[in-house]
Amino acid sequence: MTDDDRWLAEAVQLATRNVAEGGGPFGAVVVAEGRLLSEGQNRVTRDLDPTAHAEVVAVRRACRALERFALDGCTLYASCEPCPLCLATALWSRVDRVVYAADRHDAADAGFDDREFYELFGRDRDGWPLPVQAHRVPSLGEPFERWKAHEGRTAY
């Protein structure tokens, strides 16, 4: 059994257990140097939080465990192919790698169809069902100017 097999089995087990506990069928773990840093299960309906996907929960917990916001040197293992939210989380957290078991088609067969979101990001925003509009105000640059001038800022 490879490390990938081991950690994916753990993520799948978390997902399966989460279903039995009333949650969604998704689990994830963050691993560094062969050591489990954190785990997460889909908590969207349980916590009434649309961002509480298993991968997001696992990344948040790993960052707290390491006391840093970047997870370089870590691998995110997920029971299913990460949706666009979870992919963005992986990118922002700077994990070295994402490894998943089931794919988006397996999820769609169970009623979790992320294809709409994958396709949406490929279209011009004018065709989106959710209006996302820029509205420039005179003070729009102030936060950035303050950020650039702030000597104690933490770059990320």
Side-chain angles (χ1 to χ4, degrees):
M1 176 182 275
T2 68
D3 283 346
D4 287 351
D5 291 329
R6 173 186 175 198
W7 295 116
L8 283 174
E10 178 71 22
V12 170
Q13 182 181 41
L14 284 168
T16 303
R17 190 169 66 231
N18 201 46
V19 171
E21 295 169 355
F26 303 97
V29 297
V30 176
V31 175
E33 299 175 358
R35 183 174 61 93
L36 177 68
L37 290 178
S38 68
E39 57 185 40
Q41 294 168 300
N42 182 286
R43 302 188 58 84
V44 171
T45 56
R46 216 177 320 173
D47 293 355
L48 304 177
D49 179 354
T51 68
H53 291 205
E55 297 91 333
V56 175
V57 172
V59 164
R60 288 175 180 161
R61 289 176 177 167
C63 287
R64 283 193 299 270
L66 293 175
E67 297 181 340
R68 63 181 203 218
F69 57 83
L71 296 177
D72 47 288
C74 299
T75 299
L76 172 62
Y77 290 95
S79 63
C80 188
E81 180 179 4
C83 72
L85 169 71
C86 296
L87 284 175
T89 299
L91 289 166
W92 275 110
S93 71
R94 295 170 180 83
V95 294
D96 288 357
R97 215 166 56 112
V98 175
V99 183
Y100 61 88
D103 66 20
R104 66 181 77 175
H105 307 292
D106 299 312
D109 286 343
F112 295 91
D113 196 352
D114 295 338
R115 282 180 291 201
E116 178 181 335
F117 296 118
Y118 283 105
E119 292 168 3
L120 178 70
F121 291 125
R123 295 195 313 251
D124 186 82
R125 283 188 183 175
D126 291 339
W128 286 19
L130 170 70
V132 178
Q133 305 162 324
H135 184 86
R136 298 179 72 81
V137 296
S139 60
L140 65 89
E142 188 174 335
F144 298 112
E145 293 304 318
R146 297 262 177 120
W147 172 256
K148 289 189 291 187
H150 182 56
E151 291 181 19
R153 72 178 179 264
T154 300
Y156 63 96

